[in-house]
Amino acid sequence: MDVRDAALEKFLSVIKTQMGPVEEMMTYYRCAIMEIETKFKVLNEQFSLTYDGNPIESIKTRIKSYDSILRKLQRKGIPFSLESIYENIFDVAGIRVVCSFEKDIYLLADYLLAQDDITLIERKDYIKNPKPSGYRSLHLIVEVPIFLSTGKKLMKVEVQLRTIAMDFWASLEHKLRYKKNLSEKQLELLKKEMQATSEMTVELDHRMQHVRDEMREEQE
């Protein structure tokens, strides 16, 4: 057993025998998700009064599994400890906001980041700069305070904002990516098909955005 395997075994042992601190940390992440989710729900309600509908179609939340966290620590060569997770893994807590239109993504992101208790840690715009696979989404790593009986604690949350079309594509791509027993030829064909379908979702988003913009101009 090498050094890293030994460290992993030791950390797994800590998780099994000292679940208290682990569960406490995960509770903090769940609280941080609730804070961010509430902020988006408030914005959605406000915009329903200002505009002709709610910009948010759905909100999904998740906490990374222990297995996913450990694999990420190992992949990045980061020490196996709770402190290391807190300081280095920024997507333990995640929230996905699915919007009706592309402009709504940037509108919601701007209003979220304008709030004085939100700190932007990292921004990756895969809408303007899609991944080679065709994946599109706006990713934000934000820091938000949670207020505990012992005081305030700053927690990081990954926020993903995407349209319905982007979410549909990403969901199918995720399922196909883990298909086993595919030949190299099949994988290459799949890659090209997913890139092509991603371009279709771009056109769909742009055309739907154009329709909405035209409708609003007619109403003014």
Side-chain angles (χ1 to χ4, degrees):
M1 181 181 294
D2 62 26
V3 175
R4 290 205 58 75
D5 286 340
L8 176 58
E9 286 295 324
K10 182 178 180 181
F11 186 61
L12 288 172
S13 176
V14 169
I15 287 180
K16 292 176 182 178
T17 60
Q18 300 180 25
M19 284 301 295
V22 176
E23 282 299 318
E24 183 178 47
M25 184 176 71
M26 292 303 167
T27 296
Y28 295 162
Y29 281 116
R30 284 190 287 271
C31 290
I33 284 178
M34 287 189 284
E35 291 284 348
I36 299 295
E37 184 177 18
T38 298
K39 288 178 180 295
F40 278 116
K41 287 182 176 179
V42 169
L43 286 171
N44 198 43
E45 286 297 316
Q46 179 193 353
F47 289 143
S48 69
L49 301 174
T50 309
Y51 299 100
D52 54 358
N54 302 81
I56 297 176
E57 289 290 329
S58 65
I59 299 176
K60 304 171 186 176
T61 65
R62 65 107 181 96
I63 296 289
K64 260 189 183 303
S65 67
Y66 295 143
D67 183 57
S68 294
I69 293 171
L70 292 174
R71 280 190 276 109
K72 192 161 189 176
L73 287 171
Q74 193 167 33
R75 188 170 65 251
K76 290 179 171 288
I78 298 169
F80 296 98
S81 69
L82 295 182
E83 182 180 0
S84 182
I85 292 171
Y86 178 79
E87 293 179 352
N88 297 287
I89 307 298
F90 296 165
D91 62 344
V92 174
I95 181 165
R96 181 179 303 150
V97 180
V98 178
C99 301
S100 307
F101 300 95
E102 190 172 305
K103 285 184 180 178
D104 293 335
I105 290 173
Y106 294 103
L107 183 70
L108 287 167
D110 288 345
Y111 276 103
L112 174 70
L113 297 176
Q115 298 187 23
D116 58 12
D117 60 343
I118 293 290
T119 301
L120 177 64
I121 304 300
E122 184 177 277
R123 180 186 183 115
K124 291 184 179 179
D125 193 338
Y126 296 117
I127 299 173
K128 295 178 180 176
N129 301 288
K131 290 185 177 182
S133 64
Y135 175 84
R136 296 188 303 135
S137 187
L138 177 64
H139 287 202
L140 307 172
I141 301 295
V142 299
E143 193 171 63
V144 62
I146 60 172
F147 297 90
L148 309 164
S149 60
T150 53
K152 181 174 73 172
K153 188 170 183 65
L154 298 175
M155 302 298 297
K156 294 179 181 65
V157 178
E158 181 189 53
V159 180
Q160 297 178 359
L161 297 109
R162 58 178 68 158
T163 64
I164 300 169
M166 294 175 198
D167 191 55
F168 175 72
W169 183 94
S171 177
L172 292 182
E173 192 271 344
H174 181 77
K175 292 178 181 178
L176 294 171
R177 191 194 320 154
Y178 293 102
K179 290 292 183 182
K180 298 180 179 179
N181 303 320
L182 293 178
S183 67
E184 288 295 324
K185 184 177 180 180
Q186 289 174 316
L187 288 171
E188 186 61 28
L189 178 61
L190 178 61
K191 178 181 177 181
K192 290 179 179 179
E193 285 294 320
M194 293 309 296
Q195 289 170 338
T197 53
S198 176
E199 291 173 4
M200 293 177 188
T201 67
V202 173
E203 182 181 0
L204 176 61
D205 276 335
H206 289 176
R207 294 184 72 168
M208 293 305 293
Q209 183 70 61
H210 176 71
V211 170
R212 186 178 77 159
D213 292 345
E214 288 292 315
M215 292 176 64
R216 283 184 171 176
E217 287 183 10
E218 288 293 327
Q219 294 172 355
E220 292 177 356

